[in-house]
Each structure stands twice: as structure tokens, then as C-alpha cells.
Amino acid sequence: MFSRRPTTVLMGRGEECLALDGWLGAVEAGRGGGLVLCGEPGIGKSVLLDYVAASAIRCDVTRVAGIESEMELPYAALHQVCAPTLARLDRLPIPQRAALGVAFGLQAGAAPDRLLVGLAVLSLLGELARERAALIVIDDAQWLDTASAQALAFVAHRVVAEPLGLVFATRTVSAELRGLPTTTVSGLRPENARLLLDSALHTPLDEHVRDRIVAEADGNPLALLELPRTLTPAQLAGGFGLPESTALSGHLEKSFARRAAALPPATRRLLLLAAAEPLGDPVVTWRAAEQLGIDVSAIAETDGLLAIDTRVAFRHPLVRSAVYRSASAAQRREAHRALAAVTDPETDPDRRVWHRAHAAVGPNEEIAQELESSADRARARGGVAAAAAFLERAVALTALPSRRTELALAAATAKHQSGDYDRALELLAVAEAAVPDKLQLAEIDLLRGRTMFSLNRGGEAAALLLSAARQFESLDNGRSQETYLQALASTLLVGRLNTDVGVVEVARAARGVTVDSGRATDLLLDGLALLAERGYPAGVRQLERALAAFQHEDLPSHEGLHWLWLVSHTAGLLWDDACWDVLSRRLLESATDTGVLSALHGALNTRAGSHAFAGDFALSESLAQQAREIAAITGSRVAPYAEVVLAGLRGEEVEALELMDAASRAARRQRVGMGLTAVQWMSAVLYNGLGRYEEAFAAAREAGADHHTQRFRNWALAELVEAATRTGRSRPARTALGELVATTDVCGTAWAAGIAARTRALLAAGAEAERLYCAAITHLEHTRMRTDLARAHLLYGEWLRRARRRLDAREQLRRAHRMFAEFGMVAFAERARIELEATGERARGRAADARIELTAQETQVARLAAEGATNADIAARLFISTSTVDYHLRKVFRKLTVQSRTQLAHHVHQFGLPTASG
């Protein structure tokens, strides 16, 4: 029988090897995916990678390792992964081909979309896997550059139906790798540790010393092999002078540093050159060695710490860091100077100037200018982190105060964009300490405010943004208005949890400078400021103009990211469901176009909410699922608001309350008052659906206490009236109704009119109540808000039953029950069923109950296929591979018993799609 296990036996790693065998077998069978091996330095991750690579005899294996000194260079590791497959680049769709071409410097172009790069890599590796199973082995993933880490993690999360596997070895599980199957590599058991230690010794060892080494190593294989090298024969024999335990990685690094220090001078200089050269290129290393007069014979005396063949390879990554850190500053400068001299300025100008910068003794304006040019090139490739690193080094090399301010401000901006917020604040302090002019001082406050907001310190952010906006007033009126709008957005998000600057204060300040230029953003600022300061009648007309302008103005994608979430919020304030639909779709398109993953997470949640209220829970769930995956890739801690909305509407109490509790805690921790109000509003919806009106009243009252600039507060007022009337609280019900109609009666939308009529009917009687219920249904039938329409039918049916009009009540309750069942609103459906049975009619079960259901992603693939999209189009839309699309479609065809896309389209048109999510 064939055995995949390699001939080398890994002592004490039987369980890990079996797990790797099983995972590799699934990959070769076409069920690919990602796997993470996590553990401390020296624990044996690299050895396990060797094992799985040697076992993959049916796969093409590509190996790459993250390098600490190359973390700032965009796509460096990804280029190594994709280099063997670039001949297949012409098989990709043109947008994907262009994105990779720009990322790898093969062609000029705008900074590539990060998502498009990830999708292109998925497509490229998928093409490779079509011919033969492929295994990508990534060591030291903690040192991957950010762009490569995101792209590779994106692929690992998205692989489903390809013989493609990605295995990462890392010290800690990064944000990008969260959510992937993870194996924690722990220390060897004591008996195996003793065997490994004995295998490395060539001298008798005192039993007590052996026990102490085993205990100190704590099962770490590299420590077991390296620690005895630090002891003299006398110490090994009797343990005299055995050093105290230290942090393991530090102890190992010191051990490697001592071994390196014992080598001949020429060999030590060769090791330092190799440590400073990040690519492991033997040609570059030997040419630099020649510059320093180092003979080839120096490689013969490295004590096994370094090997130079087709690649430059250290025994362990800790050797590289030990050699580099233990060298003096002058020695490191000498190595970088030699490497700069042999690096081609035409083919690799960025690495050359990086070495020159590290070789510089003091300020050097020429190198600073070259670093600035490198930053521009890095930014053009989408390497914001690299641009930040180049600019930060340029700051250190310039002595001119004005240039220092300019470069520090640019570096801080890049650091902020790359997510390094703490360093951004430090660089802003450097810029402020030089000689900033008035415009730069305003820009410093602006960026500091944005950074505080990113750090979930929204109150401080609003104060800083307000300060920046006031400074811009005398310098640049356009920038001033834009910054006021950002300050207003910040106060809206922080909302009721703000203790620094409130929305009304910002609105009053903004009203002093707003100019009706006709631009969408200016109209939005003026309208929101009027609404916040003077109420709905003052602001609605201007906000209606703003919404119309945003729908018709052709915003660049990056501006769309800035403002469309706020405009979608405004559509909710004006009860404009049609505008919410259009703008949430454009927001998602902008986030997808730019590839800003953090913005994409919010856009998916916003769009999911729009679909949820339209009753399309399947599509909403699919978008929420994508948001979860993006959150796993980016490490986002933003609460899953779309999932909260879905769970609340479905009425699945246990799941809903768990999500709501988690979202509430996240909102309080991050000081997102808008999110807290949203959760309380949805809690009220949940409890009204369950018929637990006391709890619904309490939740709605909390949400209703927020400011009228919060749409969730306004929506919660309708829940408050319903809960109050059901619990006999007429005064709170009338007060809430008055506050609600203050927001609806000035808005000319069918949604506003429908909600107002439905809510007024709860407090009316006789013919007036019936007239209002009928008006509510008529208005809501002209909206996308089918869940609100179903609730209008339910309330009208309940009223009719209490009026003893059973036949009329049955008609309304049947419609409500059918709609709730179709959507998957379990609690409201049950409420309708109970009412319907009280009329003497037994409710029918869901027609979908007898059908096989589709998953959320199967549903979305099926919808797009039914609309005529090709597999390639679907893959691009859903950020999956064409093989995965084909895999899902085969399952859809089998479940629905259709055999063609034409039959699928007919099925979708006639019956809709049964889903596991409702």
C-alpha cells in the first residue's frame, strides 16, 4: 500500500503528521483550503512544513517565507508565490490581469484594487490547480508584507472546490488568518524531549543537568538542540554555572549570536551581509561580499548557521535576527552600503535607496528625495505601508524644518492609511514640532482627528475635526466644509456616548460657513446641520436636494467611500427606502472598486440591512456572510449589525439575544452610540414579534431617548407606540407618536406615510382606525419595505379580530402569515398563526418546509446564474473562483432538480429560492 509519509520520522509529532496527512489528502481530492500552524519560535513549525511539502508528491509545491526586513515592501512575498505562474497571466480577465500587472510592476497604472489583486491570485492559482494539485507553503507568515498577507489570506478563505492548499506557519495568528483552521504546535512531551536532547549530545550529561535543560526548553525542539551548545563540558557534567532561564526566543537568539561571534571576522561579515539582504539572492550577496573584500572561502566556516547555494538560507530565522541585531551600527551601515552598491538602480531603485538610507550616517537630502520617489512608486502599486516606511526614513534624513514637517505629515498620512495609528500620532507630533504653517497645522488636527476616530476615540475625534474645520475657514472654504461634514459624521456615530462635542454644537459651527454651492456634499452638510439644530421642518428640503444630487452626481469611488454611508443614513432619516436602496448599492460598488476592506465590511452590512427590510433574507444573509469573512481577514471588531437585524427580524430569540448582547458590548466599548441605539431598536422589534411587550417597551424607550438625527431612534418610536398600546400605556404611546410623526409628516415618501398611518391606527378607534390601517397598507405596497407591509396586515388583522369581524380578519392574517413565513420571520409568523387560529382557521405550514433548502452562497450564485451572469462574472461579483461557482451550481442543479440555466431561471421566476436562512 502506498504511504505518503516521508522517510524522516518526526519525533513526537505523530498526531500533527496525521492531521497534516488528512488535510493534504483533502486538498489533493479537490477540497482545498487554508491551514495555519501556530507556535513559538523553534517549536517545530518549519519542520512540519518540510514534512507536508515532502508528503505532497502529487502536488506542485511553492515555498515562500516572510522576511522581517521586507515587511514594508508591497507584494514582495506574493510575487515569489505567483512568479512560477505568471505565464498564465493572459488567461485572467483583463481587470484582474491589470491589477496583478501593476502590483508586480509589470505595467503602469493606478494603485490596484486590493480585492481585485486577491481575486486575481485566486484565479491564477486556480488555473495552476486545474492542471495539477498545488500546495503553497508559507513560513514565518508573521513577517509577510501586509499586501501579500491580505492577498494570500483572501485566497485561503475563498478556496472551496479546487485542489489548492495554503499552509501558513506563524508565531501568532494575524487578523488576516483568523477564521482559518488552526493547529497550535506545542512542545514535545518530556520523554520525547529527552530522546531529542540525547541525539544532539556527544558527551556524557549529568542527569540533573539533563532534567534542567529539558525543563528550561519546555519541549521546544530548537532549544533542546541549541541550549547544550552554550554549555561547557564541565557545565554539562555537573551543571556548575548553568545560566538562569530567560525568554525562550531571546535565549535562542543570544545562543545564535554567541555562535556567530565565535566565527572568523570575514565569515561574520558575510553572515551580516546575508542578514541585511532580504531576497536571499546569492548573486547579490556574493557581489556585495566582493565589494568588502570577503573571500568565497568564508562560507566554509559558518558552523552550520548559513548555507549559500541556489538560495541564501539561514539555519533558522532567529539566526538572521541575531546576526543583524548583534552587529554594531557601523557594521550594519557597511553591509547596507555594499548592498546598495551592487543593487541595480534601474531594475530595483527602491531596494537600492532602502539600503542607501540604512547606510547613511546623518541627514542626506538626496537620499530623502529618492525615498520620497520610492514612496510615490509604492503608493502607485497599492503599497501604502511601504510608502509609509520610505517616508518615515526620509523624515530621519532631512535636516530642513519645512521639509521635515512636510515629510512627517505625509508619512503620518500613509501610516494612518496602513492602519498603524500609534505611529501616525507620533509622526504628527514630529510634524507639529518642526515649523508647520497654518495650513499644515489644520491638516495635522484633521489627520489626528481621523486617527482618533479610527482608534474608537470618537469624542476626541469630533473635537479635533471641529478644530481643524475652524482653522480651514480662513484658508480653504471647501476643505472647511468637508471637514465640518466629517466632524458631523463623527458625532453622529458616537451619538449618545459622546462626552466631548455634541452634534448640535458641530451643527451650529458648520451653519456659520455653509454655502449652497449646489455640490452634493455641501447640500448634505447644510441639511444635516439644519436638521440637527432646528429640527425636521428646517432640514428636510435641503436633505432631499442632497439625496437627489448624490443619486445623480458621478462620485469617484474614493469619495463614495467617504460619504455614501452618511448619505445612506440620511435616506433612513427621511424614510426614503428607494434612495436607501440606490445609495447602499453604490456604497457597496465603491467599496468593491477601491478594495478598502474595512469600508467593504461596513458597506456589506448596510446593503444587507436594505435587503432584510425588503424581505430578501437569503440575499441579506449572503452579504452578512461576506461581511463576516471580510472581518476575519481584516481583524475588524465592528459589531455584526446586519446579523443583529436578521436575527431580530427572524425572531429566533436565543441567537438574536446572543448577537445583541455582543453588539451592545462592542458599541459601548468602541463608543459607537449609533450602534447601541440600533441594537435597542432591533431588540424592540424582536420582543414585539414575540409578543413580549413589556420588554419591547423597555428596549424601545431606551432607543427613543436618542437624538432625532439617529434614524434607528426614529424607527424605534414606531416600536414604542406598538408596545405601549399593548401594555396600556396611552400617555407614552401618544408622546412617542408625536415624536414619530414629527419625522414622517414632513417627508413625502410612501414609507413615511405608511409607517405614520400604521402607528396612528394603533391609537385610533372605529372607522378612523380602519381608514388608517387601509392607508398604511396602500402606502407600504408602493415601497420595498415588505416586512413593514406584512406587519401592517398583521396589525389590521388583529384589530379586525378584536372587532369580531372574523372573515375580514382572516384575509389580513392569512396575508401576514404567508409573508412572514416566506421571509422567515418566525416570531411574527407565530403571532399571526395564533391570531388566525383564534378566528377559527388553522394556519397552513410553509410551502418551503417540504423542499430542500439552499445555503446563502448557493442562493446568491443561483440568482446571478438565473439572471444570465457567466461563471466568470459570478466569480468576480462574489470574490470566489470559477471552480467554486461551478461547484455551487452543480449542487443547486441537483437540489432543485434542474438541468440547465434556462430551467433554473424559470424555477427562480416561478418559485423563488428556498434557503436555509429563511
Side-chain angles (χ1 to χ4, degrees), residues 536-549:
Y536 263 75
V540 163
R541 298 289 83 83
Q542 196 76 327
L543 287 176
E544 287 175 344
R545 291 179 62 200
L547 292 181

Side-chain angles (χ1 to χ4, degrees), residues 876-894:
R877 288 273 295 276
L878 302 185
F879 307 110
I880 56 180
S881 70
T882 53
S883 296
T884 300
V885 173
D886 185 60
Y887 168 75
H888 284 312
L889 272 179
R890 287 198 305 271
K891 291 176 69 179
V892 168
F893 280 25
R894 185 173 67 253

Side-chain angles (χ1 to χ4, degrees), residues 165-207:
L166 296 91
V167 56
F168 301 82
T170 181
R171 295 181 186 178
T172 56
V173 179
S174 66
E176 292 85 4
L177 298 179
R178 285 189 195 128
L180 292 175
T182 300
T183 296
T184 299
V185 184
S186 55
L188 297 174
R189 295 189 178 93
E191 60 272 20
N192 290 318
R194 289 189 179 88
L195 289 172
L196 182 62
L197 176 61
D198 289 343
S199 72
L201 293 172
H202 303 287
T203 185
L205 181 62
D206 184 276
E207 189 66 28

Side-chain angles (χ1 to χ4, degrees), residues 54-359:
S55 299
I57 58 175
R58 298 185 182 91
C59 299
D60 284 329
V61 180
T62 301
R63 297 196 67 155
V64 64
I67 298 173
E68 189 174 13
S69 59
E70 210 172 34
M71 288 179 71
E72 307 291 357
L73 298 179
Y75 301 114
L78 190 66
H79 192 275
Q80 293 183 58
V81 170
C82 294
T85 65
L86 290 181
R88 297 174 175 81
L89 205 57
D90 59 354
R91 301 185 192 179
L92 302 187
I94 292 174
Q96 296 180 27
R97 191 189 317 161
L100 270 191
V102 174
F104 293 158
L106 303 175
Q107 66 184 74
D113 170 345
R114 287 282 177 94
L115 276 178
L116 201 54
V117 169
L119 184 57
V121 174
L122 177 59
S123 299
L124 195 62
L125 296 178
E127 285 291 332
L128 175 67
R130 281 177 183 271
E131 299 168 12
R132 192 165 188 257
L135 177 67
I136 313 298
V137 179
I138 303 117
D139 204 353
D140 287 319
Q142 74 277 356
W143 287 338
L144 290 174
D145 63 276
T146 302
S148 295
Q150 285 188 344
L152 291 170
F154 178 92
V155 174
H157 281 282
R158 289 287 175 174
V159 171
V160 174
E162 295 89 0
L164 170 63
L166 296 91
V167 56
F168 301 82
T170 181
R171 295 181 186 178
T172 56
V173 179
S174 66
E176 292 85 4
L177 298 179
R178 285 189 195 128
L180 292 175
T182 300
T183 296
T184 299
V185 184
S186 55
L188 297 174
R189 295 189 178 93
E191 60 272 20
N192 290 318
R194 289 189 179 88
L195 289 172
L196 182 62
L197 176 61
D198 289 343
S199 72
L201 293 172
H202 303 287
T203 185
L205 181 62
D206 184 276
E207 189 66 28
H208 297 292
V209 175
R210 174 187 282 105
D211 290 343
R212 186 165 179 180
I213 291 175
V214 168
E216 186 176 53
D218 195 25
N220 186 290
L222 186 62
L224 289 162
L225 296 174
E226 291 298 323
L227 287 176
R229 292 174 178 267
T230 68
L231 307 177
T232 66
Q235 289 172 324
L236 289 170
F240 302 106
L242 192 66
E244 293 299 318
S245 297
T246 59
L248 188 56
S249 61
H251 195 138
L252 291 174
E253 196 167 311
K254 288 176 182 177
S255 170
F256 287 133
R258 283 194 292 270
R259 287 175 61 185
L263 301 176
T267 304
R268 291 202 304 272
R269 294 170 77 199
L270 178 63
L271 260 67
L272 180 56
L273 274 177
E277 199 289 299
L279 293 185
D281 187 333
V283 175
V284 172
T285 302
W286 282 124
R287 287 174 63 194
E290 187 178 352
Q291 284 274 324
L292 297 179
I294 300 172
D295 191 81
V296 176
S297 61
I299 192 63
E301 300 183 70
T302 64
D303 191 22
L305 296 178
L306 178 71
I308 302 180
D309 192 2
T310 56
R311 302 288 299 168
V312 176
F314 284 94
R315 168 177 168 77
H316 190 274
L318 287 176
V319 178
R320 180 191 291 273
S321 57
V323 168
Y324 192 83
R325 291 175 186 176
S326 62
S328 67
Q331 289 168 333
R332 287 197 293 266
R333 285 196 297 270
E334 178 190 57
H336 284 292
R337 193 175 300 115
L339 288 164
V342 299
T343 301
D344 190 336
E346 297 296 326
T347 60
D348 204 352
D350 299 336
R351 244 182 216 97
R352 180 176 180 272
V353 73
W354 186 252
H355 286 306
R356 288 190 70 201
H358 282 78

Side-chain angles (χ1 to χ4, degrees), residues 213 267 344 526 610 651 720 737 903-904:
I213 291 175
T267 304
D344 190 336
D526 192 32
S610 174
L720 182 56
L737 176 62
Q903 291 179 350
L904 175 63

Side-chain angles (χ1 to χ4, degrees), residues 436-452:
D437 57 28
K438 289 184 178 179
L439 181 60
Q440 288 171 328
L441 280 171
E443 289 175 338
I444 288 169
D445 269 356
L446 173 60
L447 184 56
R448 190 173 277 137
R450 288 175 174 172
T451 304
M452 290 298 184

Side-chain angles (χ1 to χ4, degrees), residues 448-517:
R448 190 173 277 137
R450 288 175 174 172
T451 304
M452 290 298 184
F453 188 77
S454 299
L455 289 168
N456 295 318
R457 291 157 66 177
E460 295 172 68
L464 287 162
L465 291 168
L466 181 59
S467 171
R470 285 170 169 157
Q471 292 174 70
F472 279 127
E473 284 183 24
S474 61
L475 302 168
D476 185 332
N477 191 66
R479 291 285 298 281
S480 178
Q481 294 202 163
E482 182 179 300
T483 307
Y484 272 121
L485 189 54
Q486 290 182 42
L488 201 55
S490 176
T491 57
L492 286 172
L493 273 176
V494 180
R496 59 207 274 201
L497 299 180
N498 197 356
T499 57
D500 300 285
V501 178
V503 64
V504 176
E505 181 181 347
V506 176
R508 285 174 181 158
R511 288 285 300 139
V513 296
T514 51
V515 177
D516 188 352
S517 65

